[in-house]
Amino acid sequence: MTKAKIAGLIACCGLAAPVVAQPTLVNISGATLLESFLTSPASANDFSDLDGDGLCGNCPSPNDFAESLTGPGTTVGGALGGDFFVIQYTAVGSGNGIADLDARGVCAVDAFGNFVDGESNYVRGFDDQNDTKPDNPFSGLPGSPGLVGVDGYTANNVSLSFLNGFQYNNGGTLTAPPANPSNPRAYPLRSLTDGSYTAVNSTDDFTAGIQIDLAPTDVPIAWFIEQAGTPDFTDVPNGPGYGTNPIQGVSLDGSMDVRDNSLRTLTTTNTNTTNPDQCTIFDNALTLAPVGALVSYGVGISEIDASDLRHGLVTGRLPSGENLVFATRDSGSGTRNGFMNGICLDPSWGMGDNVGARQSSSSNDNLGPNWQPTNLGGSSRMDAVVLDSRLAIGHTGAERLNRYKTSNNGTGGLDMLAIENDTASGYDEAIATANRPFIDNILDNDANNGYIVIGPGNIASIGTPNSINPGDPEYMENQAAADYLRNINESVAAFANVPGTDTTIFSPGEFLAFRFIPNGAADFVAGPGGACDLVVPGNFNQSLQDFVRANSALGADEFEFFDFTATGDAPSRDTSFVYADGLSNSYVSEAGSIVAYGSQLDMRNKISGDFNADLERDINDIADLVGAYEEREGGASWTPPSGMAGPSGDFVLDIVGDFNGDGSFDVIDVRYFLDGLAIDPSTGDLDRHLGFVLADNASASGNVFGTTLATGAAYTAGASAADVAGAAGTTPGFHPIGADNIIDGADLDYILLQFADLGDRELDWEDTAECAIPRRDGGRRDLSADVDGDLDVDFDDLCKALDFLGSEYGDVNLDGVANGADLAIINSNSGQAGGWADGDINGDGIVNGNDVEDFNNLNPCDGGGENRLCGDVNDDGAVSDSDFFAWVTAFIASPPSAADLVACDVNDDGSCNDSDFFAWVTEFIAAPGDRSFCPDIP
C-alpha cells in the first residue's frame, strides 16, 4: 500500500497524519511506438525504493510489488496526491521529442539566444503558435526578454497525451479536465520554475511553466540527426549526407509546400558524449522495438521484398509501376526512422505518397476530401489511415497488430507483411525467405531468415541518471526525471540478468520483456550502418532470449501467419460530407444492403479494384471499371460480375472503386486505375498506354475522359495517357490530378521534366537511384509521364504524345508541322525561361541556342521509338488491306533496305520471314486496342 493510500485511510478515520509532499513533475515527449510502456502502471512501479518506504521490487521482504509512484491521472487532484511523480507524456514522435528536448528542455534559450535558468528554459503560455514577440505568451521577470513563441506548441500538434497513463488528448480532441487549455499543449499541470520541479495546478506564468525532461525514442539519437554531405537514399546514420533529402513535399492540391523530409538538427544541445557538457543528450537503451509493415487486405499481397518496399517509399510506386498508397509517419517519427533504417533506407527518403503537412488530427483519418495518408503525427493516425485505405501499406510497432487482428480467424481488420531482406548486408537470395514480425524471427534475426526491421529503443535525456554529483556536467537538473529513468534501467538490468524472478514481478523491466524485446535477447542488433548492418550484441543472454521466446505477446499466431481468409473492414468516411452514393454514414451494396463503417467486408469487396470478381487487380478489370463509371454518370446499365470473389449483389462500388481516398468512386478513380493499377498479368508490370486504350475501347464514346487535342487532331484510343499536366499541380506517387482534358504544350513540358535533365535522358523506373534524383524544379519524378507504357520516361513518350497530337518534334505552336514559324518563336524568346510553347524543346526550362540546334539537327521521333502499329506496313496511320501488299513488297525486296526490313518484321523479332505474314494477319483482325506497336520505319 502506498503512503498516499495510508494517508487517505488515516484521514478517513479522523486521525492526524503528516502532510505528504507535493510530487515532482516529469514531462516526457516523444515516441508513439513506446506508448504502451509509457502509459502502463508498470512503468512507474517502484523497483528501487525511490520513495524510501521500504516497499519495492528490489527491497528485502516484505515487498509491495505493485507499489505505484504515481496517483490516478483521471483528475488533477488524484495526480497531485501521488506518492512521488506526476508523469505527463505527449506522443509526438521520436524525432519531434528530441526537438522538444532540444528547444524546450533545460538548455533552452530565450528570444535573443540567451540562457536564463528558470526563465528561458520554461514554456509558459497556453498557445504560442502565432507568437512573434518576446512578451507573448510570457513577459518574463523584470529585465528579462522572456520567451518568444515557438513552433505551434499546441495540443493540435500532438497525437496523444496522457496524465499518469490516463489519455486526455486524442489528436486534438481534449478531455478537460484534466486537460487544461490554458497550459501549453493543454498539459494538466505545470511545475514551479524555482528548480524544485514541484507539480502545481497553476497557470501563473511568473512562477510555473513546462520543461521537457525526457524524450523516448524508438531508435538512437544519432539516427535522427542529419549530417552534412551529398544526399543519397542509401545514406546511413552518422554518414555524410544522412537525413538531408532535398525533395519537397506537395500539398493535396499538388502545389509545392515548404515542408521537406530532412531529419533534425540540434540548436541548444549536443550528442558529444565523449566530452559531455551540461547540454549533452544521452541515450538510455531500453529495448529492441520491431516495426511491422502494416497492410490492408485490399492490397492483395502477404509479403514483399525490402527493395520493392524501399522503392515504393522513395517514389510512391512499386518498381512495377503499381501505384499503391505508401502511408508514412512524419520525418520526426521514430517508428518511421526504425522502419526505414531496417530496409536500408535513409529515413528522410521514406516519403511514401509525400503529400500534406505534418498531421496529428484524427479528423484527417477518415476518407473524404481531407484524407491524408502521409506525414502522420502518431501511430494511431497511421493505424486509422491504413484501416481506411484499401490500397495502403504503412508502418507501425509490431505489437500493435493485435489491436486489429487477434487470431487468424478471418475477422482481422489489418495484417502485416512478411519482408525478405534483400537490401541487407549478408543477404543470400539462394537461402533467404520472407519473414513476419513473429518472435522467433525477431530473436533469430539473421539477414536471410530473420526479421531485422527493428529499432533500438531508448529514452533520451540531457545528462545521465547515473550521475549523482550536482557538479558533474552529466548531472540531470530534474532529479525526479533521473529517478524515473534509473528505476526503469535498474529493473531492466535485473530482469535481463535473471528473468522471471519474484524480484522483478510487476516491474518496468518485466513489462518491457512481455511487450517488447529487451536488449541482449536477440542474436543480432543494429550496427554502424543501421538495422541492415547486423552485429552480434556484446550483452547477449540466452536465458533472457528463452524467456522472451516463451512469453512474448509477439509469439501469438496472428504474428506468425498472414490471414488469407480475412477481408478487412469497411472504411470509415468523414460523415460531414455526402458521397457519390448519396450517403454519409454508411455504404450501400449493389443489392441495396447497407454496409456500416467498420463492418467486416464480404469477399466480393476484398481486393481493391477487383471489378471482374477474379480476386485480382489488373487490366482485365478495365471494361467493368468503365462500365461502372458510365452507369454512375447516367449511361448504360452495368451489373458487376459474380465470380471467385462472390456474388454481384455484395459488391460495394465506393469501396472497391475508391482509390484516391476521397470516399467516392468517380472519374478520378478511373484515371487512377489506368495511370497506376493497369497491370498486365503477362508481365506483372504497369502498362499505362494499354490501360488507357482498353478504357477508351470499352467506353460508349471511345473517349472515356472527353479529352481534346490542342492541334485539333482527331482523338485516337489511348491518347488520354498523354494528358498528365495542366494548370493545377501534380502529386507524383499519390494520385494523378494534373490532367485537364486537353493535350497541349503543358503536357509535353511535364513529360520532358521527368527525364531531360538526366545524363542519359531516360528515367528508368526500376532504378531506385535514378528515380530518387530530384527534378530540376526540386520535385519528385513521376511515372505518369510514361505515355507509351514501357516503364520508362524518355523521348519515346514525348514522341508518343506528339503522335497523338498529329505533330512532330519542334512543333512549338502545335499546328501539326515543325517549320520556320516554330523556329521564329524559339529565336524570339531566346534567353528567356519558358516551356514548349515558348520554344524550349529540349526541356531544360530555358529557351536558347540549344533549342535552335536541336530544332535543326535532332529528331528523336524518327526511327527511335515504338510509335507505329506493327500491322501498319505502309506507315499511313492505319491497318488496312493496302498494308498486305506493302508487306509483300517489303518481303520480296532484293536486296532489302533498312526500311524494308523494319516494315516486313511485323512480329518485331529482328528478322523478316514467313512468320511475319501470319503476324500481320493477327494484327489485321485484332481489335484496335489489342494491336501491337513497332519501331518507326526509317
Side-chain angles (χ1 to χ4, degrees):
M1 183 178 295
T2 66
K3 289 187 293 182
K5 291 179 180 177
I6 294 172
L9 288 174
I10 293 174
C12 288
C13 297
L15 302 176
V19 176
V20 178
Q22 195 93 335
T24 307
L25 182 63
V26 178
N27 288 314
I28 304 173
S29 180
T32 62
L33 189 63
L34 295 173
E35 171 198 328
S36 60
F37 171 68
L38 295 167
T39 59
S40 70
S43 67
N45 279 351
D46 194 356
F47 179 78
S48 303
D49 197 19
L50 294 182
D51 57 3
D53 65 358
L55 301 175
C56 71
N58 201 31
C59 292
S61 183
N63 295 338
D64 184 351
F65 299 120
E67 185 194 29
S68 176
L69 293 167
T70 62
T74 52
T75 65
V76 167
L80 289 176
D83 201 30
F84 200 77
F85 296 127
V86 172
I87 306 295
Q88 294 186 145
Y89 160 52
T90 52
V92 298
S94 297
N96 301 315
I98 291 174
D100 269 351
L101 194 63
D102 179 59
R104 304 173 182 107
V106 70
C107 293
V109 296
D110 64 21
F112 301 97
N114 301 314
F115 169 77
V116 183
D117 191 18
E119 297 180 30
S120 65
N121 53 0
Y122 284 87
V123 183
R124 318 289 177 129
F126 72 95
D127 177 1
D128 56 354
Q129 184 171 14
N130 299 312
D131 299 328
T132 58
K133 53 186 183 299
D135 63 349
N136 187 358
F138 175 54
S139 60
L141 299 177
S144 168
L147 185 68
V148 160
V150 287
D151 57 345
Y153 203 61
T154 69
N156 291 330
N157 292 307
V158 180
S159 177
L160 302 169
S161 301
F162 301 87
L163 174 65
N164 287 352
F166 175 76
Q167 181 178 313
Y168 65 84
N169 172 28
N170 180 11
T173 301
L174 301 178
T175 300
N180 187 345
S182 295
N183 280 334
R185 279 189 183 164
Y187 284 113
L189 299 169
R190 302 188 190 189
S191 66
L192 294 179
T193 59
D194 59 3
S196 69
Y197 294 95
T198 301
V200 293
N201 184 15
S202 171
T203 58
D204 184 351
D205 288 342
F206 286 92
T207 61
I210 293 291
Q211 183 180 110
I212 301 303
D213 303 300
L214 303 173
T217 66
D218 307 331
V219 296
I221 298 167
W223 289 23
F224 275 110
I225 307 303
E226 63 180 55
Q227 304 291 333
T230 303
D232 188 273
F233 73 101
T234 60
D235 288 334
V236 298
N238 286 317
Y242 177 75
T244 59
N245 173 18
I247 294 177
Q248 287 187 311
V250 295
S251 300
L252 292 173
D253 63 3
S255 59
M256 287 284 188
D257 63 28
V258 296
R259 172 189 54 82
D260 62 23
N261 289 278
S262 60
L263 299 185
R264 298 294 180 262
T265 57
L266 299 177
T267 57
T268 69
T269 57
N270 64 80
T271 57
N272 185 8
T273 56
T274 303
N275 296 295
D277 60 24
Q278 67 274 16
C279 291
T280 300
I281 298 181
F282 289 82
D283 285 318
N284 297 274
L286 282 182
T287 68
L288 302 177
V291 187
L294 199 63
V295 67
S296 167
Y297 290 109
V299 176
I301 61 173
S302 62
E303 61 182 59
I304 194 169
D305 288 346
S307 59
D308 288 347
L309 187 56
R310 183 170 70 175
H311 188 94
L313 288 160
V314 171
T315 70
R317 296 177 183 244
L318 290 173
S320 67
E322 188 172 20
N323 190 10
L324 301 177
V325 173
F326 286 93
T328 65
R329 295 283 305 281
D330 67 281
S331 62
S333 159
T335 307
R336 168 171 165 167
N337 196 302
F339 188 71
M340 304 308 166
N341 271 299
I343 59 173
C344 308
L345 176 62
D346 177 337
S348 70
W349 289 90
M351 300 172 283
D353 282 19
N354 197 36
V355 291
R358 181 173 179 267
Q359 182 55 257
S360 297
S361 173
S362 58
S363 64
N364 294 74
D365 293 347
N366 296 337
L367 301 181
N370 299 318
W371 178 76
Q372 178 182 312
T374 54
N375 299 303
L376 305 171
S379 296
S380 297
R381 306 286 74 77
M382 170 63 75
D383 298 352
V385 160
V386 181
L387 273 170
D388 288 337
S389 174
R390 301 292 296 167
L391 286 174
I393 296 175
H395 44 265
T396 197
E399 81 286 351
R400 295 176 70 89
L401 177 61
N402 60 17
R403 300 183 180 206
Y404 308 104
K405 174 193 172 190
T406 55
S407 63
N408 289 320
N409 59 7
T411 64
L414 295 173
D415 218 313
M416 285 183 175
L417 297 174
I419 299 176
E420 186 163 334
N421 307 314
D422 65 340
T423 58
S425 175
Y427 170 77
D428 184 346
E429 184 178 7
I431 61 173
T433 57
N435 293 280
R436 291 174 57 79
F438 173 61
I439 191 60
D440 286 353
N441 302 330
I442 293 167
L443 297 175
D444 307 324
N445 59 335
D446 64 273
N448 291 303
N449 297 294
Y451 192 83
I452 66 171
V453 187
I454 302 172
N458 79 108
I459 297 181
S461 59
I462 299 176
T464 73
N466 300 323
S467 175
I468 59 174
N469 182 358
D472 290 341
E474 306 101 309
Y475 185 78
M476 293 178 63
E477 292 294 324
N478 186 348
Q479 275 295 292
D483 289 341
Y484 177 82
L485 270 184
R486 192 181 307 112
N487 188 65
I488 293 172
N489 290 342
E490 290 176 358
S491 71
V492 167
F495 188 91
N497 185 45
V498 186
T501 63
D502 287 347
T503 301
T504 56
I505 291 177
F506 302 122
S507 72
E510 182 193 52
F511 182 90
L512 285 168
F514 277 99
R515 296 298 297 268
F516 297 91
I517 313 299
N519 289 311
D523 289 349
F524 296 94
V525 294
C532 283
D533 178 20
L534 299 175
V535 297
V536 177
N539 62 342
F540 177 77
N541 183 321
Q542 187 62 58
S543 297
L544 179 62
Q545 185 182 88
D546 293 342
F547 179 90
V548 173
R549 192 188 306 274
N551 294 282
S552 173
L554 298 173
D557 69 342
E558 59 261 31
F559 295 97
E560 185 173 9
F561 304 107
F562 190 91
D563 191 350
F564 291 97
T565 64
T567 57
D569 299 334
S572 296
R573 298 186 289 193
D574 186 334
T575 57
S576 58
F577 297 92
V578 176
Y579 299 92
D581 55 8
L583 302 173
S584 61
N585 294 294
S586 62
Y587 298 94
V588 62
S589 72
E590 289 295 305
S593 299
I594 294 299
V595 178
Y597 298 161
S599 63
Q600 186 177 343
L601 291 173
D602 294 308
M603 185 62 68
R604 182 64 183 87
N605 302 296
K606 176 177 181 177
I607 303 299
S608 178
D610 178 20
F611 277 75
N612 68 347
D614 65 353
L615 290 176
E616 301 286 346
R617 177 180 54 249
D618 54 35
I619 58 175
N620 295 316
D621 294 293
I622 291 176
D624 287 298
L625 171 84
V626 173
Y629 165 65
E630 292 191 337
E631 180 189 52
R632 174 154 281 185
E633 292 297 304
S637 176
W638 169 80
T639 300
S642 299
M644 295 172 59
S648 61
D650 292 342
F651 184 80
V652 181
L653 180 58
D654 292 284
I655 294 177
V656 178
D658 177 25
F659 310 122
N660 71 334
D662 66 358
S664 295
F665 170 70
D666 54 26
V667 67
I668 298 174
D669 297 296
V670 177
R671 185 175 292 277
Y672 188 117
F673 191 103
L674 306 179
D675 179 85
L677 302 176
I679 302 298
D680 183 342
S682 67
T683 64
D685 291 333
L686 177 73
D687 191 333
R688 286 186 77 256
H689 175 262
L690 179 58
F692 279 91
V693 168
L694 293 175
D696 282 334
N697 289 341
S699 70
S701 65
N703 183 353
V704 68
F705 300 108
T707 303
T708 60
L709 301 117
T711 57
Y715 183 87
T716 56
S720 294
D723 182 14
V724 292
T730 57
T731 56
F734 181 38
H735 74 95
I737 63 172
D740 59 357
N741 296 331
I742 182 170
I743 303 173
D744 56 16
D747 301 296
L748 304 180
D749 289 335
Y750 194 71
I751 294 167
L752 285 164
L753 182 63
Q754 312 311 317
F755 73 89
D757 59 338
L758 298 174
D760 59 357
R761 290 194 167 191
E762 178 183 2
L763 174 63
D764 178 359
W765 190 255
E766 295 178 306
D767 185 345
T768 309
E770 193 165 71
C771 293
I773 299 172
R775 301 182 319 214
R776 61 175 171 80
D777 66 349
R780 184 161 67 171
R781 312 228 173 224
D782 192 354
L783 189 63
S784 290
D786 176 21
V787 182
D788 63 0
D790 62 357
L791 273 188
D792 62 30
V793 186
D794 53 18
F795 273 116
D796 290 345
D797 299 291
L798 181 75
C799 297
K800 187 66 180 173
L802 289 168
D803 184 51
F804 285 133
L805 286 163
S807 185
E808 57 186 336
Y809 185 73
D811 180 16
V812 172
N813 61 9
L814 294 181
D815 64 356
V817 61
N819 55 24
D822 301 293
L823 185 58
I825 294 173
I826 297 174
N827 286 323
S828 67
N829 291 313
S830 182
Q832 304 297 315
W836 182 273
D838 306 297
D840 174 31
I841 62 173
N842 68 359
D844 63 1
I846 299 292
V847 184
N848 55 25
N850 294 328
D851 298 293
V852 175
E853 182 177 352
D854 285 357
F855 183 90
N856 291 323
N857 301 301
L858 178 66
N859 190 354
C861 303
D862 183 13
E866 293 188 332
N867 298 311
R868 176 183 62 88
L869 292 168
C870 294
D872 183 15
V873 182
N874 64 4
D875 203 16
D876 65 354
V879 179
S880 61
D881 296 347
S882 62
D883 292 295
F884 170 75
F885 300 102
W887 182 84
V888 172
T889 300
F891 178 78
I892 64 177
S894 180
S897 66
D900 291 326
L901 291 174
V902 173
C904 174
D905 185 18
V906 179
N907 62 7
D908 200 19
D909 65 354
S911 62
C912 174
N913 52 42
D914 295 345
S915 64
D916 291 294
F917 168 74
F918 299 99
W920 181 86
V921 173
T922 300
E923 294 293 329
F924 177 75
I925 63 177
D930 295 332
R931 289 171 175 160
S932 306
F933 288 86
C934 283
D936 286 340
I937 298 172

